């Protein structure tokens, strides 16, 4: 497996990705997701042995890859599941009243009573955007990547629109 080199300047895709990741100390989840997606596209789907700049750009580069994937998943949902997605996403985030920071929230799946939200949750898990687990006291659900909180425009918009609600709910 190799990384493509840019034709005009000879810079390796590995160096480009490394430089992008070095700009943000919290980029490890983004990096992991991006490399996995590059592998899926360039090796598994296309049968190659090189990770390419074309796929890197198509994915939205380091910062955009996870948001693009999330948008594609949301756009592919039937309308009734798409309508159930936003309330589900809001249940998976919390806002600290004092610092104003947004973080992922772990919930018990049993609190999701709407069957459409349950199906939307299953789709998020299948799409690797959420993680379901059972630590022994009931199945839980959480966002798979904290990076979604700051890089997925749909989720950042929801958080801003419902910030007051999220703060009150956390209290």
């Amino acid at each position: 497996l190799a990384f493509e080199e840019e034709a005009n300047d000879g810079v390796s895709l590995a160096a480009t990705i490394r430089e992008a990741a070095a700009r943000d100390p919290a980029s490890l989840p983004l990096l992991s997701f991006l490399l996995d997606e590059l592998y899926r596209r360039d090796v598994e789907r296309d049968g190659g042995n090189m990770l390419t700049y074309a796929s890197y750009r198509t994915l939205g580069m380091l910062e955009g890859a996870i948001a693009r994937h999330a948008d594609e998943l949301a756009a592919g949902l039937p309308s009734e599941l798409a309508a159930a997605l936003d309330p589900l996403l809001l249940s998976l985030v919390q806002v600290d009243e004092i610092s104003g920071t947004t973080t992922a929230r772990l919930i018990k799946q049993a609190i999701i009573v709407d069957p459409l939200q349950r199906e939307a949750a299953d789709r998020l898990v299948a799409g690797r955007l959420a993680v379901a687990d059972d630590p022994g006291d009931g199945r839980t659900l959480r966002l798979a990547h904290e990076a979604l909180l700051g890089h997925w425009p749909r989720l950042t918009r929801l958080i801003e629109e419902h910030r007051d609600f999220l703060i009150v709910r956390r209290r």
Side-chain angles (χ1 to χ4, degrees), residues 132-143:
D133 192 19
D134 189 344
D137 58 346
R139 194 169 152 125
T140 60
L141 184 71
R142 66 175 171 81
L143 291 174

Side-chain angles (χ1 to χ4, degrees), residues 68-86:
R68 182 179 178 96
H69 176 68
D71 280 338
E72 288 172 357
L73 186 141
L77 293 175
S79 59
E80 64 276 1
L81 289 182
L85 183 60
D86 288 353

Side-chain angles (χ1 to χ4, degrees), residues 92-114:
L92 295 171
V93 298
Q94 61 187 5
V95 176
D96 182 88
E97 181 176 13
I98 298 181
S99 68
T101 57
T102 305
T103 56
R105 177 177 179 236
L106 180 72
I107 63 169
K108 297 268 189 190
Q109 272 194 287
I111 72 165
I112 305 172
V113 294
D114 180 344

